[in-house]
Amino acid sequence: MSVICVILLLSLFTLSHEAKPPMKLVPNFSRGFINNNLLELLEELRIRMHMDMSEELGIPRLDPFLIEELDLEPILNDVELQMTNVRGVGLNRFVVNELDFNIFALSFLFNLTTPTLTLSGDYVANGVVSGVIPFIGEGPFKYFDRIRCNLLPIVGRLGLTETGSWTMHDLGVNFAISQFEGGFEGLTSELINDLLRLSAPALLESAWPTLEPIVIEMIYGLLGGAVNSMTIAELISLLSGNGLNWPDVEEQLLHLNV
């Protein structure tokens, strides 16, 4: 469970510099006016994930996402785990399987798939998982490079604050992986890496109730700045297809079709 916590906490923030395919939709996907506008916004975001848009839109650099230091000791049982120089690659390959915005209820749903994620960085670990498996070591963790992920789904609602700006609430997310390869280098025992390769999807499923609130807090951290600063008029304009005041990107990135 300890290592699964690491994977999950980091994987939502892992993006790449590589050219990415256009978004795809599952058959019979509703192509309503608002939903199509939101799809276009997501595609605009995809080609700007390598940029820091904090000043313009309240969105940090996402391609790749970098975390200087991450201390997971407070949420792990009997394991001290610190990670540094964490770099993630892959989420801007996301595919939109389902998307819906209900203008009357101000509710939203996103169902995304990320084909692969790659994580790398350094770690220091000291403890025992479930009182049985030693998790002790120090060094790099590299190439969790076959993590096939689903976000199933992200749901929530928008509401107005007293100042007339928007905020997200009732946020929920589910997360699953179907395959995992890679591991930690420098462990005193390879049992942790063996366990991950054999049972990572099942371990994540059992750990998810504990992890979901942590992931929700991170999503708020990523999107809260963009949503909270938006007025009613700006939200209506966005849903109507007028888009956002995106920062410029290199011309060649506007026509990616790889």
Side-chain angles (χ1 to χ4, degrees):
M1 173 176 172
S2 304
V3 182
I4 295 304
C5 291
V6 178
I7 297 170
L8 181 57
L9 286 170
L10 299 177
S11 61
L12 289 180
F13 304 101
T14 57
L15 308 174
S16 159
H17 287 294
E18 304 174 29
K20 301 300 180 288
M23 282 185 288
K24 302 173 184 177
L25 301 177
V26 294
N28 301 320
F29 177 77
S30 174
R31 297 185 177 234
F33 177 68
I34 291 177
N35 292 343
N36 277 336
N37 292 336
L38 292 176
L39 283 171
E40 291 179 3
L41 285 171
L42 287 175
E43 190 61 34
E44 291 286 347
L45 174 63
R46 184 202 300 277
I47 63 175
R48 290 171 172 83
M49 284 179 168
H50 66 291
M51 305 173 66
D52 185 345
M53 298 178 285
S54 299
E55 292 187 7
E56 298 93 339
L57 300 173
I59 301 173
R61 184 185 182 192
L62 301 174
D63 178 15
F65 195 93
L66 303 175
I67 302 175
E68 292 183 1
E69 185 174 351
L70 186 63
D71 183 1
L72 300 183
E73 181 180 355
I75 63 171
L76 302 178
N77 294 324
D78 303 320
V79 177
E80 298 176 2
L81 178 60
Q82 290 80 38
M83 310 183 76
T84 56
N85 303 318
V86 178
R87 182 179 186 272
V89 177
L91 261 188
N92 61 350
R93 294 180 178 274
F94 66 84
V95 174
V96 180
N97 300 311
E98 186 178 6
L99 180 153
D100 183 63
F101 186 92
N102 186 321
I103 190 63
F104 300 104
L106 292 177
S107 62
F108 57 85
L109 178 150
F110 293 89
N111 187 314
L112 310 175
T113 300
T114 55
T116 58
L117 298 172
T118 301
L119 306 177
S120 61
D122 300 298
Y123 81 98
V124 176
N126 185 24
V128 179
V129 177
S130 301
V132 178
I133 304 174
F135 188 9
I136 302 170
E138 179 177 357
F141 64 90
K142 291 185 177 180
Y143 307 124
F144 295 117
D145 58 355
R146 301 287 293 181
I147 309 173
R148 304 188 184 280
C149 301
N150 298 301
L151 298 175
L152 303 171
I154 301 174
V155 298
R157 300 182 65 186
L158 296 179
L160 281 172
T161 67
E162 294 181 357
T163 61
S165 61
W166 294 98
T167 183
M168 293 184 296
H169 60 94
D170 297 338
L171 193 64
V173 59
N174 201 349
F175 189 85
I177 62 175
S178 57
Q179 185 178 358
F180 174 88
E181 294 179 10
F184 294 88
E185 297 183 9
L187 291 174
T188 57
S189 169
E190 279 294 306
L191 288 176
I192 287 292
N193 287 333
D194 293 340
L195 180 63
L196 282 172
R197 284 188 282 267
L198 289 172
S199 306
L203 290 170
L204 176 57
E205 182 179 358
S206 64
W208 183 250
T210 302
L211 297 173
E212 183 182 14
I214 301 167
V215 175
I216 288 175
E217 183 178 351
M218 291 188 170
I219 294 175
Y220 275 123
L222 278 175
L223 303 179
V227 174
N228 293 347
S229 62
M230 192 175 297
T231 65
I232 296 176
E234 288 171 337
L235 178 64
I236 293 174
S237 177
L238 182 150
L239 296 176
S240 299
N242 294 324
L244 294 171
N245 185 25
W246 295 105
D248 293 334
V249 296
E250 297 86 344
E251 179 65 24
Q252 65 269 24
L253 292 178
L254 293 174
H255 306 288
L256 294 179
N257 192 29
V258 180

